[in-house]
Amino acid sequence: MTSDNAVRASHTVPGVSPGMRRLARLTSLTVLPSCVWRLAIAVGIPMGWGPGSDLHHSYYPGSASLVLVFVTVLQECLGLLSLGLVQRWGEVLPRWVPVLGGRRIHPLTAVVPAAFGAAALTAITTLGAWTWSEVNAANPDAPTGLALRIFDLSYAPLLLWGPLLGILTVAYWRRRRIHG
């Protein structure tokens, strides 16, 4: 067994199918395009916002960039948590965690926030997609043309984040009930 295979074996969780592992990876990647879009603004790349908008490139980079970077890092961390629903660290806290390391995680400790997160993400992203054209039409400084298409393509994957997280959460709950 190569060291790469040994690492994979150490992360293998009984009852997790390869399909669920792929779904968890896909779920964690749904946040990436919007994060890249946001970071582009943070470094001052024009993304189609007019001069009356707080997202106009003339404000960046600057102190407001820190807010965009913080939101991006937070969103990426939350996206990566979906991997915990298919990996060992989602069932047993890693040993390096002070005081609690090595302890089993009660299934509801993961299921409750993941289920609420899935529901909230689904509601927020669906509402955002549903109302974006109205918001865009009311804001003369919102992106149009190619910039709008880039925005749409960057944020569209977020529509999958909540439903995919919901599927992973149900699979985690069922697996933990069966395999402990």
Side-chain angles (χ1 to χ4, degrees), residues 44-79:
I45 297 173
M47 297 302 285
W49 292 93
S53 169
D54 291 341
L55 295 175
H56 188 260
H57 66 274
S58 64
Y59 297 116
Y60 301 94
S63 59
S65 296
L66 295 175
V67 173
L68 294 178
V69 170
F70 173 77
V71 170
T72 297
V73 169
L74 178 63
Q75 183 177 345
E76 280 294 329
C77 289
L78 291 172

Side-chain angles (χ1 to χ4, degrees), residues 52 101 108 133:
L108 290 177
S133 60

Side-chain angles (χ1 to χ4, degrees), residues 10 13-14 16 20 40 42 46 48 53 67-68 70 79 88 103 109 111 119 126 137:
S10 69
V13 177
V16 176
M20 278 296 133
S53 169
V67 173
L68 294 178
F70 173 77
R88 177 70 53 209
R103 291 188 182 181
T109 303
V111 169
T126 301

Side-chain angles (χ1 to χ4, degrees), residues 15-174:
V16 176
S17 70
M20 278 296 133
R21 280 194 281 283
R22 283 190 296 275
L23 189 68
R25 278 188 235 117
L26 176 65
T27 303
S28 69
L29 291 173
T30 60
V31 302
L32 189 58
S34 61
C35 289
V36 171
W37 183 88
R38 200 176 302 109
L39 288 176
I41 290 176
V43 298
I45 297 173
M47 297 302 285
W49 292 93
S53 169
D54 291 341
L55 295 175
H56 188 260
H57 66 274
S58 64
Y59 297 116
Y60 301 94
S63 59
S65 296
L66 295 175
V67 173
L68 294 178
V69 170
F70 173 77
V71 170
T72 297
V73 169
L74 178 63
Q75 183 177 345
E76 280 294 329
C77 289
L78 291 172
L80 290 171
L81 280 176
S82 62
L83 297 173
L85 297 172
V86 299
Q87 293 184 359
R88 177 70 53 209
W89 58 268
E91 295 184 10
V92 178
L93 284 171
R95 294 245 177 244
W96 56 263
V97 174
V99 182
L100 301 174
R103 291 188 182 181
R104 288 191 61 74
I105 297 171
H106 190 283
L108 290 177
T109 303
V111 169
V112 170
F116 279 119
L121 287 167
T122 301
I124 290 167
T125 57
T126 301
L127 180 64
W130 192 271
T131 61
W132 171 247
S133 60
E134 294 168 19
V135 171
N136 188 37
N139 183 354
D141 291 308
T144 59
L146 179 60
L148 177 59
R149 297 300 161 248
I150 292 170
F151 174 86
D152 290 343
L153 290 172
S154 298
Y155 275 81
L158 289 179
L159 290 167
L160 298 173
W161 189 10
L164 294 177
L165 181 58
I167 292 167
L168 289 169
T169 302
V170 170
Y172 177 89
W173 174 247
R174 292 177 68 178

